[in-house]
Amino acid sequence: MSEIGLDVVPRFSIIVPVFRVQGFLRECMDSVLTQDYTDFELIAVDDCSPDRSGAILDEYAARDDRVQVLHLPENVGLGLARNAGLAKVRGDYILFLDSDDTLVPGALGALAERLDATENPEILIFDYARTYWDGSARRNALSALLDESGAPAFTLAERPEILDLLQIVWNKAYRRDFVEEHGFEFPVGYYEDAPWTFCTLITAQRIAVLDRVLLHYRQRRQGGNILRTTSRKHFDVFDQYERVFDYLDAHPELSRWRPQMFRKMIDHYLTVLDKPGRLPQNAQAEFFHRAARDYRKRVPAGFVRPTGMAGGKYALLAKDAYPALAGLKVAGKVQRTVRKQAAKRVKQAKRKAMDLRYQALLRQPLDENLAVYSAYWNRLPACNPLAIYEKAKELAPNVHGVWVVKQSLADQVPAGVDHVVLNSPRYWEVMARAKYLVNNVNFADGVIKREGQIHLQTHHGTPLKSMGTDQKRYPAAAKGMSFRKLLARADRWDYSLSSNQHTTEQWERVYPCNFQSVDAGYPRNDVYYRASAQDVLDIRERLGIAPGKTAVLYAPTMRDYQVGYVPRLDLEKISRELGSGGQDFVLLVRTHYFYDQDPGLQELQERGALIDVSGHPVVEELCLAADALVTDYSSIMFDYANLDRPIINYADDWDTYVRSRGVTFDLLSGKPGDTPGVIATTEDELIEAFRSGRWDDERATGLRAAFRARFCQWDDGHAAERVVRQVFLGQEGPATLPQDERTVAPSPRAAAAAAGLVKLPAQRTAASGDAPASDASDIELAG
């Protein structure tokens, strides 16, 4: 925690306006708060963000008193949000940081050093680099203008080329007394940086530069940038330059800058006109005529137009000759068309190769009452899609559901479930015409997402391991994956399902696409809140687990750095040692679904050492049957936490796993919320945890409660209903129940006791070294 008090003036005040950035916000905040230079305050302005960005800011403020959060009562836009922050600043210098961008390590220290060396100029300009989803970065193309040679500080008249830098506010440090003296503030609307940047630069008496990249400017694939938005709000640019010239009118001493401001204005207008996708097609002529009026109104006497194509466009504006400009744009399109001939021929070849029948189906009307479901790369119905399918039959019975399955599994589809075989004629028909597409992975690349179709990506777990674009840093996990194709598939998503805030932030960050997060919980987990005691007993009976036995489910995940299933535990030893401790354990073993059946497990099962449940079709039933879970890094732990039963992580290769796959948090930290219970890194530690009772003692219970609060945030038994109502019916679903009001399925011990099969012991306080009261050794068989 910082010791900066209200009576101490920090060196920097950093203003961060925040709106719909929950997937990137933590990275932004961490980039500031982990700086080695700590003399700053951070003023975060929640611009009435509809996501959980405001709550994230409050988390940071609670942990670090350098963070001050302003929650605006209504959305006011970027400029006015910055003004709200300006009203609170106390620092010597003001910095602006957009909430999806980041400071590089050492940025503030470098700024402070340069400010001292240049004797505190009014403005210090530093460099930035554009960063992209694929991990690449590109430094500002005009970085040569930041050459530090020459005088430490200068006037704009001495280096007017500085005006050619991008008109942005966040690559500059502004001296607070300079800003306050001149009353600079941001206007409303698009392009709000232009009047601020130009007016401050032409007013400053001392400017300095720092030839170093201090900020990473995130280039979003989609959304988050007005430059990629088609809207009439681009007409705001006229108001912004009117403000610039109003400022010049109010300050005659700055009149020498009129020619430069005029040229900047016209260049900006032409950029808006030239860039495809900014203006609606029917607004381009109107925009041109408005720009032409500004040209004639503000052209300085003796102004010399630029040469070349740019000068030609200036001349057309001067004459208000829109048809001629449109002709120039057509000529430019022809040139671009010639350059793209080869690429188009490739696309044409692909179109010819595409199935003609599918093309014909894509032209038929959508079936508003048809939904296609798939799970785990077209395996049998399961997971979140299955829970949504069942709830849709209840709440939206007019929507007919069809499952996609592999040919080899078609004869195993449950009776009464309509299904199609992958790549069959009917498969292409339903994919082309269904209104709803529901999957927990991605549909094949050949599937075309039609306008009007609704694609719900349900996912199939909470991400401990790195996913999406994060995998680019881990070749062992990526295995030659095409990330462009991955993101093209994610571009089809309309909705992305999540069970907790951690997951929502991860999906929005690592899949930078224009989907809407559905913070509803995982429908597959509803059963944990709806299963009865008899359900638990029936499942255990089908699995062959006798009443009174403590069933331990061992469910490890796969390893990207290994080929095939490699047992990480001597399962025969584990089973033997647990039994020799005087407790009646039975070991259930489930390998990852990527692996084939293991003959070694089958042999151990035949010898009675364990029960191999790898082929059991419903993992939720295995969780309901188990008294405890032993896993490593599998996402099953997040689902099992709903049951509030002991979780033990056997993490013998954590360091290797982190290096090869990458993780989103430190599972082994031991901190509440990170670690779900006991951690064992050797077989002996695992055995000792059970024998000593640590697997279910008070500390493990506390860790489990914190883990459950963090990762079972929206799971309450009503997730499927929330999803169906929002996606299929356009309705608002039931509110999430507080955790203390949720009723979870009874434990196997409680279920057996309720049925009179066992007697639970009287409550007692475990003495030092005793097993806890809930141990299976304390249970007596009834009758």
Side-chain angles (χ1 to χ4, degrees):
M1 297 284 282
S2 167
E3 297 180 356
I4 295 177
L6 291 178
D7 56 340
V8 178
V9 176
R11 186 60 164 160
F12 298 111
S13 293
I14 304 169
I15 297 174
V16 182
V18 176
F19 184 76
R20 277 187 177 161
V21 286
Q22 63 182 353
F24 305 104
L25 183 54
R26 292 184 191 276
E27 190 176 355
C28 172
M29 297 290 286
D30 290 342
S31 77
V32 178
L33 298 176
T34 57
Q35 291 282 316
D36 50 12
Y37 186 92
T38 60
D39 188 11
F40 65 85
E41 63 176 1
L42 192 161
I43 301 172
V45 184
D46 170 20
D47 190 14
C48 201
S49 186
D51 60 7
R52 286 175 169 78
S53 293
I56 294 172
L57 294 177
D58 289 338
E59 288 179 30
Y60 278 90
R63 296 198 301 264
D64 195 319
D65 60 9
R66 295 173 297 180
V67 179
Q68 179 182 357
V69 181
L70 305 180
H71 294 285
L72 302 185
E74 60 181 3
N75 177 250
V76 297
L78 182 58
L80 298 190
R82 286 174 175 159
N83 289 344
L86 280 171
K88 300 292 184 180
V89 296
R90 298 180 298 116
D92 294 328
Y93 278 86
I94 301 168
L95 294 169
F96 299 96
L97 178 65
D98 286 355
S99 49
D100 55 352
D101 296 338
T102 56
L103 295 181
V104 304
L108 295 184
L111 269 177
E113 183 178 341
R114 184 62 177 166
L115 287 170
D116 290 342
T118 55
E119 299 181 347
N120 299 321
E122 285 123 321
I123 301 175
L124 174 63
I125 308 172
F126 53 87
D127 206 6
Y128 62 92
R130 289 176 168 86
T131 59
Y132 299 85
W133 67 264
D134 61 1
S136 62
R138 190 176 71 225
R139 188 174 183 178
N140 166 32
L142 298 177
S143 58
L145 297 179
L146 300 177
D147 182 9
E148 296 177 21
S149 62
F154 51 87
T155 65
L156 186 62
E158 292 170 322
R159 292 178 64 170
E161 64 274 12
I162 290 294
L163 287 173
D164 290 334
L165 291 167
L166 191 63
Q167 58 264 31
I168 47 178
V169 302
W170 40 253
N171 70 333
K172 303 172 184 72
Y174 302 89
R175 209 172 66 208
R176 177 168 60 91
D177 61 0
F178 165 69
V179 171
E180 291 176 345
E181 176 187 355
H182 295 279
F184 293 122
E185 62 180 10
F186 291 91
V188 298
Y190 279 15
Y191 306 109
E192 74 292 330
D193 283 10
W196 172 286
T197 301
F198 290 135
C199 293
T200 55
L201 284 174
I202 64 177
T203 303
Q205 296 299 308
R206 298 181 69 251
I207 300 171
V209 295
L210 175 56
D211 185 13
R212 177 170 167 176
V213 171
L214 301 187
L215 181 142
H216 283 163
Y217 174 27
R218 187 187 301 274
Q219 304 299 290
R220 300 235 210 141
R221 288 183 67 252
Q222 298 178 357
N225 192 326
I226 65 169
L227 302 184
R228 298 192 183 97
T229 305
T230 301
S231 170
R232 285 187 59 88
K233 284 190 68 64
H234 291 284
F235 279 76
D236 289 353
V237 73
F238 298 115
D239 295 333
Q240 307 301 14
Y241 281 96
E242 184 172 357
R243 293 182 174 101
V244 172
F245 282 91
D246 285 347
Y247 187 81
L248 288 171
D249 291 342
H251 295 83
E253 71 278 9
L254 300 176
S255 61
R256 62 168 296 175
W257 296 109
R258 284 184 180 274
Q260 288 87 345
M261 293 300 98
F262 175 78
R263 182 164 180 169
K264 286 295 172 187
M265 177 185 75
I266 298 304
D267 285 347
H268 204 160
Y269 291 176
L270 290 173
T271 297
V272 174
L273 279 166
D274 287 343
K275 294 295 183 181
R278 291 201 191 180
L279 294 169
Q281 192 68 32
N282 61 4
Q284 292 182 3
E286 179 187 352
F287 187 97
F288 181 90
H289 296 313
R290 174 77 180 272
R293 288 199 299 272
D294 276 8
Y295 188 106
R296 294 193 298 272
K297 176 182 177 181
R298 297 196 172 108
V299 59
F303 178 75
V304 179
R305 297 174 189 147
T307 59
M309 179 69 76
K313 292 180 179 179
Y314 271 62
L316 294 176
L317 268 181
K319 298 175 182 177
D320 198 6
Y322 178 71
L325 179 71
L328 278 178
K329 294 176 73 172
V330 169
K333 288 181 180 178
V334 170
Q335 290 180 343
R336 289 191 293 272
T337 299
V338 171
R339 288 195 298 267
K340 295 177 180 178
Q341 282 293 327
K344 284 196 171 183
R345 281 196 291 269
V346 171
K347 291 180 181 178
Q348 288 169 354
K350 289 182 178 179
R351 282 197 293 269
K352 288 180 181 178
M354 192 175 291
D355 181 76
L356 295 178
R357 184 172 183 273
Y358 184 44
Q359 287 293 313
L361 290 166
L362 289 170
R363 292 191 292 272
Q364 293 186 14
L366 288 176
D367 186 338
E368 299 290 326
N369 293 315
L370 179 61
V372 174
Y373 297 86
S374 182
Y376 297 116
W377 298 273
N378 307 304
R379 290 176 169 86
L380 293 172
C383 191
N384 292 317
L386 178 58
I388 294 168
Y389 165 80
E390 296 291 352
K391 184 57 67 172
K393 289 197 299 183
E394 172 189 336
L395 298 179
N398 56 303
V399 178
H400 178 67
V402 178
W403 282 85
V404 179
V405 296
K406 298 176 180 178
Q407 175 69 61
S408 60
L409 298 174
D411 59 350
Q412 300 178 43
V413 176
V417 176
D418 192 4
H419 63 280
V420 296
V421 172
L422 181 67
N423 290 327
S424 66
R426 189 176 176 225
Y427 163 80
W428 290 109
E429 179 180 356
V430 297
M431 294 305 300
R433 300 200 58 201
K435 174 72 173 182
Y436 305 98
L437 305 174
V438 183
N439 205 337
N440 69 355
V441 291
N442 275 310
F443 288 102
D445 292 345
V447 171
I448 294 175
K449 167 75 179 305
R450 295 178 60 181
E451 183 178 356
Q453 284 185 318
I454 295 175
H455 189 323
L456 169 63
Q457 169 59 259
T458 74
H459 305 280
H460 54 275
T462 290
L464 167 63
K465 61 188 178 184
S466 65
M467 297 289 289
T469 54
D470 275 358
Q471 290 178 263
K472 194 172 181 65
R473 302 196 299 269
Y474 302 96
K479 292 183 171 65
M481 177 190 302
S482 169
F483 288 93
R484 292 190 182 279
K485 289 184 178 180
L486 171 68
L487 293 178
R489 292 188 287 270
D491 282 337
R492 299 183 300 203
W493 306 349
D494 294 291
Y495 296 102
S496 170
L497 184 57
S498 175
S499 61
N500 52 67
Q501 180 65 18
H502 168 82
T503 300
T504 297
E505 293 176 27
Q506 291 297 319
W507 293 158
E508 292 191 7
R509 184 178 61 81
V510 304
Y511 298 110
C513 306
N514 275 343
F515 55 77
Q516 178 182 341
S517 292
V518 179
D519 298 337
Y522 276 159
R524 70 184 184 189
N525 293 337
D526 285 353
V527 66
Y528 298 140
Y529 297 90
R530 298 185 176 277
S532 66
Q534 191 59 50
D535 292 330
V536 173
L537 294 177
D538 289 346
I539 295 168
R540 284 171 65 95
E541 183 177 4
R542 292 198 301 272
L543 293 172
I545 306 170
K549 282 186 175 289
T550 299
V552 177
L553 174 62
Y554 174 52
T557 190
M558 62 170 292
R559 299 296 193 275
D560 296 292
Y561 63 88
Q562 292 178 338
V563 178
Y565 172 62
V566 179
R568 307 206 64 85
L569 283 173
D570 182 339
L571 296 174
E572 184 175 23
K573 173 186 175 182
I574 297 297
S575 179
R576 182 178 65 251
E577 292 296 328
L578 292 184
S580 66
Q583 302 179 35
D584 205 357
F585 284 94
V586 58
L587 191 62
L588 313 178
V589 179
R590 183 178 181 83
T591 59
H592 194 274
Y593 57 81
F594 274 7
Y595 301 128
D596 296 327
Q597 277 196 319
D598 180 60
L601 286 180
Q602 296 175 30
E603 180 184 347
L604 288 173
Q605 177 170 263
E606 291 171 1
R607 289 161 49 189
L610 52 77
I611 301 176
D612 181 8
V613 292
S614 300
H616 193 82
V618 184
V619 70
E620 290 78 24
E621 291 187 351
L622 302 179
C623 291
L624 285 166
D627 296 271
L629 172 70
V630 175
T631 186
D632 40 22
Y633 324 120
S634 171
S635 65
I636 194 175
M637 74 179 95
F638 302 100
D639 301 322
Y640 191 80
N642 282 282
L643 291 167
D644 196 19
R645 302 178 192 174
I647 300 172
I648 302 92
N649 293 97
Y650 179 63
D652 65 319
D653 64 338
W654 173 251
D655 290 340
T656 303
Y657 188 82
V658 170
R659 288 194 303 270
S660 66
R661 180 67 202 228
V663 295
T664 60
F665 65 93
D666 186 359
L667 180 71
L668 272 59
S669 74
K671 297 177 181 177
D674 283 355
T675 304
V678 169
I679 299 291
T681 58
T682 67
E683 290 181 345
D684 289 341
E685 286 181 0
L686 179 62
I687 293 167
E688 184 276 335
F690 279 100
R691 285 189 172 183
S692 68
R694 286 196 304 114
W695 66 291
D696 195 17
D697 65 8
E698 185 176 351
R699 182 175 186 277
T701 301
L703 287 173
R704 185 168 73 247
F707 191 82
R708 185 173 182 234
R710 179 182 180 187
F711 293 111
C712 303
Q713 190 174 356
W714 301 314
D715 287 327
D716 63 354
H718 300 282
E721 180 179 354
R722 281 190 284 271
V723 172
V724 171
R725 290 195 182 280
Q726 179 172 347
V727 176
F728 288 74
L729 301 175
Q731 302 173 355
E732 185 174 342
T736 303
L737 291 173
Q739 287 204 342
D740 58 2
E741 295 180 16
R742 303 175 195 177
T743 302
V744 72
S747 69
R749 300 169 191 172
L757 300 176
V758 299
K759 294 179 181 179
L760 291 177
Q763 291 292 325
R764 62 179 176 82
T765 301
S768 177
D770 289 346
S774 58
D775 268 358
S777 57
D778 291 328
I779 298 177
E780 300 177 17
L781 291 179

